[in-house]
Amino acid sequence: MNLDKRDRLVLFTLLGVAILFSILFYLDLNRKIGIGDREVVGTIFFKNNIVQRKFEDEVIWEKLENNSPLTNKDTIRSEAFSDALIRLKDGTEINIDENSMFNLDLTGEEPNLEFTQGSLEVKKDDSKPNQLKITSSGSEINVDSGNVKIEKSKERELSLFVEKGKTTVKHQDGKSVAVEEGKKAEFKKTGIEIKKIPVVLLAPTSQKLFFTDPDDVSVNFKWKQEPGYGDPNIEISRSPNFQMTFINEKVEGTGSSFRLKEGTFYWRIKVKNKQGTDFEFSETNKFFVTKLESFQGESPEPGTVFPFVQTFPLVTLTWTKLTTANSYQLVLSNSPKLTNPIKQLETSANQISYDDLKEGTYYWKVVAKSSFPDTKDRESQVLSFTIKKQNTIPAPKWLRPANGSEISSDEIKQNQAILIWDGNAELKSYQLKIASDSKMKNIVFSEETVSNFLVPNWNQMGKGNFYVTLIGKSKEGKETEISSILSFTVVDKKKKPEPEEEVNENKQEPKLEMMSPNGTIVQMKGKSSLDFQWKVTGTTPDRYDLVLYQHTADKKTAIYKITTKESKHNLKDLGILDEGAFSWDLSVYKDSNLLLSRKGSFILALDQFKSLKPTDIEFISPKRLYKEKR
């Protein structure tokens, strides 16, 4: 069929409109939704997997990060094998199990939680006068104080267990009934049935954490059984609905023990009723078994000296991030016993920076606050560093490339051939010179820059051996001493590794290589994702934790976190990125233990970057950029 000119115009217009709206729909579906002026009512702390949030005026579900703020009228849902804790501003705590969903509305004097499915545990502070009203399918639960558990699945009606405190319930017919401590309420179509909980679970308590030693741990179970009930069976499962029960044993007395490996577990006691005709169940308690993670201060390393002349240096303290902690308390003192701390704060991040520390020796430690009840906080060792005033600013130190290394034509084409040095806040600019001889007489390239990196004109220099020196210049015009001479060779292709490098990986020490982006300028125009790639040898990790930081105004801010089992990751939410300097931390875990940790760094730019000279590029924060662990 032949189309005339007008028909073709209409067809192409419709196709263009369809493509435009498809793009807009995709962007809306993947955009990062900001909180804006919404009222923040609490915070969510992660323990396992994924929990999502949907704002009242949005239709898109957003994946929450650990320690995310929650706003009024949020709808929360959890995926399979998820577990999280919500702490409201009034002190109320809500533990969320997997496959659960509810809406939180704290408007007015009567807070309301609309429960849809799954299981929740609510702990309400006795000192708060207002009730927490929980509604579900027309039924109503009013929690005055104490601890209650709520369960609802497709197969079962709503069930309420009152462990502690005062609770009243109201059925669809409007009748109110008080549920005392130690009793349960089952919401049925015919009404509310109140029963005494036949078995009270004593240990392990809900949300209890156990550490393996080394691969498993003996867990002691204790309970109290009401008179008249018999034939107790203990059930231990990986799921709250006990579809995957792997221990189902008849027990004697009121206690038993089992050795368990790492995982999340649910347990309950099943007994025959007083008539001996049917089974009844206790409440369900959840507990965790995990390996003890290493916890320590990471940097600065013991004995590190931060020199300065006039401006106090930026000191960044970092420590291990624990999956079992919801916050960290940093203690900084000028006493080895940490008496009379000069800095003391609590944070959810695993680093903090100071630029106001005066000359002297400092001692510090971090206390990891456990997110699990009845679990001791963890303390790092006490580390020290020194801030020392000097008469002259030290010469700049080279960070990249390594001395004596090769730079290939491919690296130059891919903008990966960058000269990088350790920046200093007291220096206004740097004079870089490249020569073709080690005595620095035959200068082939010279440039002054205010940044702590530079991309030379490689085409002008050609191939061969080159030697580079740096001189820093302060704001007052004083020059530093000349840096050490850095040598490198520009080649078409790098030499292949010697055959002796090929050894059995199983016998190698574990190694982590940050492949990309690392030490490069990333051109983002036209790209739909920022692609991370790394390589691990000598081991088979369980998972990787990646944290992306943006560097601005003398600090770096974590803007993205992800856990993955692959050795690569594509960041598609480009709305969180901006031009400038970035770094990323990668942690490698094996059997839930931190095995390796490395840092990568890069510069993000659009295509117009190619038309700029290296001197047009300015780092806002040149103090600690490109400091890489090895």
Side-chain angles (χ1 to χ4, degrees):
M1 181 178 68
N2 295 325
L3 299 176
D4 59 24
K5 185 176 181 180
R6 186 176 62 182
D7 291 335
R8 287 197 298 270
L9 179 61
V10 172
L11 177 61
F12 289 135
T13 301
L14 292 175
L15 285 174
V17 171
I19 293 172
L20 174 63
F21 279 97
S22 297
I23 294 172
L24 292 176
F25 176 74
Y26 174 81
L27 293 175
D28 183 69
L29 194 65
N30 290 276
R31 66 191 170 99
K32 190 78 171 178
I33 304 171
I35 289 178
D37 58 356
R38 297 179 176 91
E39 179 189 2
V40 175
V41 297
T43 307
I44 187 166
F45 301 96
F46 274 39
K47 292 173 186 171
N48 291 305
N49 288 347
I50 295 173
V51 178
Q52 296 176 312
R53 171 255 301 285
K54 182 168 71 67
F55 290 120
E56 178 190 22
D57 53 353
E58 297 285 348
V59 296
I60 305 299
W61 287 96
E62 177 188 21
K63 185 165 66 175
L64 289 171
E65 302 291 346
N66 188 24
N67 201 37
S68 294
L70 295 182
T71 64
N72 197 26
K73 299 186 179 181
D74 281 354
T75 299
I76 307 297
R77 72 179 182 186
S78 59
E79 295 189 358
F81 303 108
S82 296
D83 180 59
L85 168 68
I86 291 176
R87 185 173 290 119
L88 302 181
K89 284 187 173 181
D90 67 355
T92 301
E93 292 186 352
I94 304 171
N95 280 292
I96 312 171
D97 278 339
E98 63 178 64
N99 299 319
S100 299
M101 184 165 70
F102 67 91
N103 176 270
L104 193 61
D105 185 356
L106 303 184
T107 305
E109 297 181 357
E110 193 177 54
N112 179 59
L113 189 154
E114 185 178 351
F115 179 60
T116 305
Q117 67 180 38
S119 57
L120 302 174
E121 180 180 3
V122 179
K123 297 181 180 180
K124 192 172 185 306
D125 191 346
D126 298 357
S127 63
K128 302 298 179 181
N130 58 331
Q131 294 180 331
L132 175 63
K133 183 172 70 174
I134 303 171
T135 57
S136 180
S137 302
S139 300
E140 185 177 302
I141 301 169
N142 292 289
V143 184
D144 292 319
S145 62
N147 302 354
V148 299
K149 290 183 181 178
I150 308 164
E151 300 175 0
K152 184 180 181 183
S153 63
K154 295 179 180 179
E155 298 79 14
R156 298 171 58 187
E157 297 292 333
L158 182 68
S159 297
L160 166 71
F161 294 85
V162 180
E163 294 182 337
K164 178 185 175 184
K166 298 179 294 182
T167 302
T168 57
V169 296
K170 185 186 293 185
H171 198 256
Q172 298 174 0
D173 56 14
K175 293 182 180 180
S176 295
V177 183
V179 185
E180 299 175 357
E181 184 175 317
K183 291 188 176 182
K184 67 177 180 178
E186 294 183 354
F187 294 74
K188 299 182 178 180
K189 294 180 180 179
T190 55
I192 301 175
E193 185 176 347
I194 309 295
K195 294 181 179 179
K196 192 169 184 65
I197 300 176
V199 181
V200 178
L201 305 183
L202 301 177
T205 55
S206 188
Q207 306 296 316
K208 179 69 175 177
L209 177 67
F210 295 90
F211 293 109
T212 60
D213 185 22
D215 298 320
D216 60 10
V217 63
S218 179
V219 179
N220 296 318
F221 297 86
K222 294 182 180 180
W223 58 90
K224 179 183 177 183
Q225 187 171 313
E226 291 294 319
Y229 295 92
D231 298 332
N233 273 56
I234 186 170
E235 295 182 349
I236 304 175
S237 175
R238 294 280 191 176
S239 63
N241 55 15
F242 288 82
Q243 290 181 342
M244 295 184 290
T245 303
F246 67 95
I247 292 180
N248 187 351
E249 293 186 9
K250 187 174 181 179
V251 289
E252 300 290 340
T254 58
S256 187
S257 64
F258 297 92
R259 296 201 69 85
L260 300 172
K261 295 183 180 295
E262 187 177 7
T264 299
F265 297 92
Y266 300 83
W267 77 286
R268 66 186 181 185
I269 299 294
K270 179 175 67 174
V271 293
K272 277 192 175 181
N273 60 15
K274 295 180 179 181
Q275 294 75 31
T277 57
D278 201 1
F279 284 102
E280 292 192 23
F281 296 90
S282 70
E283 61 182 318
T284 299
N285 272 2
K286 175 170 60 176
F287 64 94
F288 309 88
V289 177
T290 186
K291 293 193 174 179
L292 187 65
E293 300 173 277
S294 172
F295 181 60
Q296 59 187 4
E298 293 183 329
S299 66
E301 296 180 355
T304 298
V305 177
F306 294 93
F308 76 98
V309 175
Q310 290 183 328
T311 305
F312 295 136
L314 180 70
V315 179
T316 299
L317 309 175
T318 65
W319 53 89
T320 310
K321 196 168 185 65
L322 291 182
T323 58
T324 57
N326 57 32
S327 65
Y328 306 90
Q329 184 182 44
L330 172 71
V331 181
L332 178 69
S333 172
N334 49 21
S335 166
K337 296 183 178 181
L338 299 179
T339 54
N340 300 321
I342 58 176
K343 301 283 186 181
Q344 193 167 356
L345 61 83
E346 192 162 327
T347 176
S348 59
N350 66 325
Q351 69 169 34
I352 189 70
S353 297
Y354 293 107
D355 60 1
D356 59 349
L357 297 178
K358 300 178 181 179
E359 185 177 17
T361 298
Y362 294 88
Y363 303 86
W364 65 284
K365 74 173 182 180
V366 180
V367 180
K369 300 289 187 178
S370 177
S371 56
F372 296 85
D374 303 322
T375 303
K376 291 182 179 180
D377 296 337
R378 302 274 305 280
E379 289 191 10
S380 72
Q381 75 277 41
V382 177
L383 299 177
S384 66
F385 62 89
T386 300
I387 296 177
K388 188 174 182 180
K389 184 176 177 61
Q390 295 184 341
N391 295 324
T392 59
I393 301 174
K397 294 181 180 179
W398 293 105
L399 296 180
R400 189 184 295 271
N403 191 41
S405 62
E406 292 181 337
I407 297 176
S408 67
S409 298
D410 287 340
E411 289 175 315
I412 294 174
K413 291 178 182 178
Q414 296 171 11
N415 292 316
Q416 294 181 355
I418 310 175
L419 304 181
I420 306 169
W421 52 95
D422 197 359
N424 190 312
E426 296 190 89
L427 296 178
K428 180 182 178 181
S429 62
Y430 303 88
Q431 180 66 49
L432 180 142
K433 294 182 180 180
I434 303 178
S436 58
D437 64 300
S438 60
K439 294 183 178 180
M440 303 298 298
K441 291 184 177 180
N442 186 18
I443 303 298
V444 296
F445 181 86
S446 178
E447 187 142 3
E448 187 171 350
T449 177
V450 296
S451 304
N452 69 323
F453 72 97
L454 191 138
V455 181
N457 188 335
W458 298 108
N459 293 329
Q460 171 188 326
M461 293 166 51
K463 305 291 188 300
N465 297 323
F466 296 96
Y467 305 85
V468 195
T469 59
L470 264 178
I471 294 178
K473 185 181 294 185
S474 70
K475 298 174 183 178
E476 294 77 22
K478 294 182 179 180
E479 293 186 348
T480 67
E481 294 182 0
I482 300 177
S483 70
S484 61
I485 297 178
L486 171 70
S487 66
F488 59 86
T489 304
V490 178
V491 296
D492 285 323
K493 289 185 178 181
K494 290 186 177 181
K495 297 177 182 178
K496 292 183 179 180
E498 297 295 329
E500 63 182 15
E501 295 286 335
E502 300 177 2
V503 296
N504 187 346
E505 284 193 358
N506 293 327
K507 296 182 179 179
Q508 286 182 330
E509 286 293 322
K511 293 182 180 180
L512 171 61
E513 180 184 356
M514 310 287 272
M515 298 178 68
S516 65
N518 193 18
T520 181
I521 297 176
V522 181
Q523 306 289 348
M524 290 302 298
K525 190 171 183 179
K527 290 188 177 182
S528 60
S529 65
L530 176 60
D531 302 327
F532 295 88
Q533 191 173 4
W534 56 90
K535 181 180 180 182
V536 175
T537 57
T539 187
T540 305
D542 295 334
R543 77 173 200 268
Y544 306 95
D545 286 355
L546 187 155
V547 184
L548 176 63
Y549 298 91
Q550 181 161 15
H551 296 253
T552 56
D554 285 350
K555 66 179 181 179
K556 68 177 185 177
T557 305
I559 61 171
Y560 184 75
K561 301 176 185 177
I562 192 67
T563 297
T564 179
K565 293 183 178 180
E566 300 182 7
S567 58
K568 60 181 180 179
H569 178 68
N570 300 324
L571 171 55
K572 296 182 179 180
D573 187 4
L574 301 184
I576 66 173
L577 302 175
D578 198 358
E579 287 187 283
F582 293 81
S583 64
W584 53 295
D585 292 357
L586 188 72
S587 300
V588 182
Y589 288 87
K590 175 72 172 178
D591 298 328
S592 297
N593 292 322
L594 180 63
L595 193 63
L596 294 166
S597 180
R598 293 287 184 273
K599 298 180 185 292
S601 48
F602 60 95
I603 302 160
L604 208 60
L606 298 175
D607 276 351
Q608 62 260 34
F609 220 99
K610 296 177 181 178
S611 63
L612 300 177
K613 298 180 296 181
T615 50
D616 296 326
I617 304 168
E618 178 182 1
F619 264 144
I620 298 175
S621 172
K623 299 179 181 179
R624 302 304 301 166
L625 295 184
Y626 295 103
K627 185 170 180 59
E628 181 175 339
K629 280 188 178 180
R630 294 188 179 274

